[in-house]
Amino acid sequence: MCIPKHNLDPNSEQHAIMVVYYLRSFVFEGDLRATLVYFTNRQKMEDVYGMLTEAEQEVVTIQRTGQSPAAMIVQHKQRIDAGKRSVLFGLNSLSEGIDLPGHYCTQIVIDKLPFPLPDDPILASHAEYLEQIRH
């Protein structure tokens, strides 16, 4: 596990640049061929993808509106089975029901840990329930 130490605002362009640096260091240059990269928002994912070279973009399958996660997984597995590098860029919705056993996922990169907003209605209802059972 690698946890970069920095004090960058996760919504800043500098953070996106740092993500690209780590992807180049650990994903595009390393021996691991099957990588899943999770982003907490679409704009950050698109920004990072846009900063990649054309050669780097060629091995990335990016989750786009209207694209089936199942189709992304099929493409990813075909690349891996052919002995090529494959990198999936996705959002939280890509992780729902995904199955990438063994060599189909050799590393996972998360751009930032997602925490729910304090005013999230689901979080608020959980807190209310916990208060009720506490008393």
Side-chain angles (χ1 to χ4, degrees):
M1 178 182 299
C2 173
I3 302 173
K5 294 180 181 180
H6 62 80
N7 59 356
L8 299 172
D9 175 357
N11 299 315
S12 70
E13 183 178 356
Q14 289 79 18
H15 186 266
I17 291 168
M18 187 210 57
V19 171
V20 171
Y21 168 79
Y22 279 99
L23 291 176
R24 286 188 174 132
S25 300
F26 298 106
V27 175
F28 296 110
E29 297 297 324
D31 292 333
L32 301 174
R33 296 204 171 276
T35 303
L36 181 57
V37 184
Y38 280 124
F39 292 88
T40 52
N41 71 62
R42 184 171 302 281
Q43 187 59 55
K44 175 65 74 64
M45 181 176 69
E46 293 287 350
D47 291 347
V48 168
Y49 182 79
M51 292 179 195
L52 300 177
T53 67
E54 190 175 317
E56 291 166 340
Q57 288 179 353
E58 286 179 11
V59 300
V60 173
T61 302
I62 183 170
Q63 185 178 9
R64 296 245 160 86
T65 304
Q67 184 177 22
S68 156
M72 290 177 66
I73 301 306
V74 168
Q75 183 180 6
H76 174 75
K77 287 182 175 181
Q78 288 172 342
R79 282 185 184 156
I80 299 303
D81 290 342
K84 298 178 181 175
R85 183 181 312 275
S86 183
V87 180
L88 292 171
F89 273 25
L91 303 167
N92 189 39
S93 59
L94 180 64
S95 68
E96 297 170 8
I98 193 170
D99 185 21
L100 294 171
H103 68 282
Y104 291 120
C105 186
T106 52
Q107 68 181 333
I108 298 172
V109 176
I110 302 171
D111 81 315
K112 71 175 183 175
L113 293 177
F115 292 102
L117 296 173
D119 60 348
D120 177 60
I122 294 173
L123 183 64
S125 72
H126 282 266
E128 184 179 311
Y129 172 74
L130 291 172
E131 277 298 316
Q132 288 175 357
I133 64 171
R134 191 176 117 191
H135 296 296

